[in-house]
Amino acid sequence: MNIETRKLTLEDYDDLKESMQQAYDTLGGQIWSKVTIAKLLKLFPEGQLCIAVDEKVVACSLAIIVDYDEYGDKHTYQMITGAYTFSTHDPNGDTLYGIEIFVSPEYRGLRLGRRLYEARKELCESLNLKSIIAGGRIPGYHEYADKLSPRQYIDKVKAKELYDPTLTFQISNDFHVRKVLKNYLPGDHESKEFATLIEWNNIYYQGIDASARSAKTIRIGLVQWQMRLFPDIEAFYEQVEFFVDAVSGYKSDFIMFPEFFNTPLLQPYNHLPEMEAMRKLADQTAEIVERIQAYALSYNVNIISGSMPVVENNKLYNVTYLCHRSGKTDEYRKIHITPNEQKYYGMVGGDKIKVFDTDCGKIGILICYDVEFPELSRILADQGMQMLFVPFLTDTQNGYTRVRHCAQARAIENECYVAIAGCVGNLPKVNNMDIQFAQSAVFTPSDFAFPTNAVKAETTPNTEMMLVVDVDLHLLDELHHFGTVKILKDRRKDLYEVKLLK
């Protein structure tokens, strides 16, 4: 017999499924799907461990890393796993949280569970995590529930007066019980839906140093762009690079340009109908994005490139690009097209909305009118968004007021930061782009840790300038769990829901 403890792979799923079906018989046979296992392997491959006996996987341990202070001791399994999305996984957290461990019944005499626990402990030490925490079943409790409280039952197991197949094993592996959890895992009838919150402390833990903590403070740079005519595209690039250079000089993590900030380049096509002129401008988008991505690399800053027209399959889209300082490029296509964009340019809306992973956390991007539809940002919030970036273009104060107040509402209702950046001034000799009004800003949630007016900072209205702002993601973590109100948690999901259809 050959026994090997190693990292789990997706190729192991067939064996894993068979072992799960055997081990989960008492829980109604519910098992982890292949899609879920794939997600865990992508998020945290080091934390997914298995034991193969003669090359067949017969035991498994699944885990994520969390910042435990965000959840506290009263959490449920659904809460700690982000409703099974694992959006709660935080590589910068301090705790290894065990979300699953099992051994196929056919192999339980080989002490494979002990090997998995030892592998978890080694992982915890190697990652310099404070502890291992998990919610443990007490499957023997149903036999004593009519005469013992969960606490009394646990005390008797600890005193070895009673035997519980799970808790006895955990105690023998140096875990201690922190408290009893109610309604931790719905459907666990053997445990009467109670669980033990168990912990193993890493005595070699070195603590979190200042640099690790400061990684939660993110610096955002916004460009309030003056519309002006350029003699050629190189002059346009010079102005873009000027702002990238200036903002990166303050060691900003992000810089954002406004919606359609490149429309001064429409001037040579002003003799054409607006629809044709915009499609001519779209011919330059690929070159502009390539140049901006080069700036992101050379100036070490993530750039949200405002927005630009793109033609695909003869359809015209309004697209913004996230140029990562790592060299990667993502895109977002404006979903809600304004009547003006439809009338003058024949634009159509995109159909994809998702959170983008960056080296500074999870961000969302919406373009101008999109922020006036609260469903979009709520979907992003459910995907773990911490910062929402909104490049916009408004000609009148009425239009700006809609964008501003809707953006501020999105920050409050989704417990996130929202940054908006717009164009200012006048642009003669470009049809349909003649006047602009903007006041760029960064908005916050509304609670004691944030400004009383929920405005972190804002520019002078209608003046070309840049705004550099620090936001603290730790404050969002605290708000989610200890705020005066907890908007995301207090939603009545038994009555309503907002979900993405495609």
Side-chain angles (χ1 to χ4, degrees):
M1 182 178 291
N2 179 48
I3 299 176
E4 179 188 14
T5 303
R6 59 171 172 81
K7 293 180 185 177
L8 185 69
T9 69
L10 199 57
E11 288 71 26
D12 296 320
Y13 184 75
D14 288 341
D15 287 345
L16 187 69
K17 181 178 179 180
E18 181 181 341
S19 297
M20 282 189 288
Q21 289 171 332
Q22 296 169 353
Y24 288 9
D25 183 63
T26 57
L27 287 177
Q30 295 181 356
I31 63 172
W32 296 91
S33 70
K34 190 171 185 178
V35 171
T36 301
I37 296 298
K39 181 181 290 188
L40 280 169
L41 290 172
K42 182 178 179 181
L43 282 174
F44 183 32
E46 300 89 344
Q48 320 318 320
L49 305 170
C50 69
I51 294 179
V53 176
D54 294 332
E55 299 184 352
K56 178 182 179 180
V57 171
V58 299
C60 180
S61 164
L62 308 176
I64 56 176
I65 298 173
V66 299
D67 186 346
Y68 192 74
D69 287 343
E70 294 184 19
Y71 305 97
D73 287 349
K74 294 183 179 180
H75 64 267
T76 63
Y77 190 82
Q78 186 177 41
M79 182 190 302
I80 204 73
T81 61
Y84 310 98
T85 66
F86 312 111
S87 60
T88 50
H89 174 68
D90 181 1
N92 297 315
D94 61 359
T95 300
L96 186 67
Y97 197 95
I99 59 174
E100 179 61 275
I101 189 167
F102 71 86
V103 177
S104 172
E106 296 180 21
Y107 295 87
R108 285 180 181 168
L110 300 176
R111 298 185 178 180
L112 302 184
R114 183 179 298 275
R115 294 190 188 215
L116 288 174
Y117 272 115
E118 290 303 316
R120 265 190 184 170
K121 293 174 186 177
E122 291 176 7
L123 179 64
C124 183
E125 292 174 357
S126 67
L127 295 177
N128 187 36
L129 299 175
K130 187 176 182 180
S131 61
I132 301 173
I133 289 181
R137 299 180 61 225
I138 42 176
Y141 178 59
H142 69 283
E143 298 178 8
Y144 301 90
D146 57 340
K147 48 194 171 185
L148 296 176
S149 69
R151 174 56 65 187
Q152 291 171 328
Y153 175 78
I154 290 168
D155 287 342
K156 287 186 176 293
V157 172
K158 288 166 65 176
K160 298 186 178 180
E161 296 175 17
L162 294 175
Y163 173 83
D164 184 274
T166 298
L167 182 57
T168 299
F169 177 73
Q170 291 164 339
I171 292 173
S172 68
N173 278 275
D174 303 321
F175 282 80
H176 65 272
V177 179
R178 286 179 61 138
K179 67 172 295 165
V180 177
L181 299 173
K182 286 184 178 181
N183 303 315
Y184 179 75
L185 186 61
D188 185 3
H189 303 300
E190 287 186 326
S191 304
K192 297 295 182 180
E193 297 188 355
F194 289 101
T196 57
L197 186 65
I198 60 169
E199 179 178 35
W200 176 83
N201 294 306
N202 176 14
I203 62 173
Y204 303 109
Y205 177 63
Q206 297 299 311
I208 301 175
D209 60 25
S211 62
R213 295 287 298 184
S214 66
K216 287 279 191 175
T217 299
I218 307 304
R219 182 161 292 176
I220 297 171
L222 305 179
V223 176
Q224 188 155 285
W225 176 269
Q226 174 77 44
M227 288 295 208
R228 57 168 67 80
L229 297 179
F230 296 98
D232 52 44
I233 197 169
E234 287 303 321
F236 167 77
Y237 289 142
E238 287 177 6
Q239 190 65 26
V240 173
E241 187 172 11
F242 163 77
F243 279 114
V244 174
D245 185 18
V247 173
S248 67
Y250 290 99
K251 300 187 184 304
S252 292
D253 298 294
F254 292 95
I255 176 173
M256 179 168 65
F257 290 90
E259 180 184 25
F260 282 147
F261 77 113
N262 68 326
T263 50
L265 301 176
L266 279 169
Q267 193 271 332
Y269 314 118
N270 207 39
H271 62 287
L272 299 174
E274 287 90 343
M275 187 179 298
E276 293 182 31
M278 190 61 78
R279 286 175 174 261
K280 285 286 188 180
L281 183 63
D283 292 340
Q284 301 178 34
T285 293
E287 176 191 327
I288 294 172
V289 173
E290 184 178 355
R291 183 69 69 96
I292 292 176
Q293 181 62 77
Y295 294 152
L297 280 169
S298 58
Y299 287 97
N300 191 31
V301 61
N302 299 301
I303 302 176
I304 293 106
S305 64
S307 79
M308 291 169 270
V310 170
V311 175
E312 185 179 282
N313 297 325
N314 204 34
K315 293 181 179 179
L316 185 64
Y317 297 91
N318 185 349
V319 184
T320 187
Y321 294 89
L322 169 58
C323 299
H324 299 256
R325 52 186 164 193
S326 64
K328 178 184 175 183
T329 302
D330 287 308
E331 70 168 45
Y332 168 76
R333 300 186 177 190
K334 188 174 184 177
I335 290 176
H336 297 95
I337 303 303
T338 65
N340 182 287
E341 289 172 301
Q342 292 174 345
K343 177 181 178 181
Y344 288 99
Y345 306 124
M347 285 189 164
V348 297
D351 61 2
K352 292 182 174 58
I353 176 170
K354 66 174 184 176
V355 159
F356 299 104
D357 289 308
T358 74
D359 57 0
C360 299
K362 295 180 179 293
I363 74 165
I365 301 175
L366 298 177
I367 300 176
C368 197
Y369 192 32
D370 283 338
V371 82
E372 298 176 33
F373 297 83
E375 297 86 355
L376 295 186
S377 54
R378 179 50 54 86
I379 291 168
L380 292 172
D382 284 338
Q383 294 178 4
M385 173 186 66
Q386 298 162 297
M387 295 170 283
L388 175 62
F389 290 89
V390 184
F392 72 92
L393 178 71
T394 50
D395 54 354
T396 66
Q397 286 185 265
N398 305 79
Y400 169 71
T401 296
R402 289 194 299 270
V403 170
R404 178 188 178 93
H405 289 295
C406 289
Q408 193 160 15
R410 304 298 84 88
I412 293 171
E413 68 197 15
N414 294 304
E415 300 175 339
C416 66
Y417 296 106
V418 179
I420 66 173
C423 295
V424 300
N426 305 317
L427 191 58
K429 299 183 180 180
V430 176
N431 294 330
N432 202 41
M433 287 286 172
D434 40 5
I435 61 172
Q436 327 292 331
F437 182 92
Q439 183 180 22
S440 304
V442 175
F443 303 118
T444 73
S446 184
D447 212 325
F448 294 117
F450 305 95
T452 54
N453 63 353
V455 179
K456 179 69 174 178
E458 56 191 347
T459 62
T460 303
N462 245 26
T463 301
E464 183 170 61
M465 62 183 295
M466 67 183 192
L467 183 68
V468 179
V469 180
D470 283 348
V471 296
D472 187 346
L473 301 188
H474 281 298
L475 296 181
L476 299 181
D477 298 338
E478 293 172 6
L479 175 69
H480 292 330
H481 302 284
F482 307 111
T484 304
V485 295
K486 306 175 185 68
I487 297 172
L488 291 178
K489 287 188 175 181
D490 290 342
R491 288 174 291 165
R492 286 289 304 276
K493 292 185 176 180
D494 59 320
L495 289 178
Y496 62 87
E497 64 177 342
V498 176
K499 63 181 180 180
L500 192 62
L501 297 179
K502 56 185 295 187

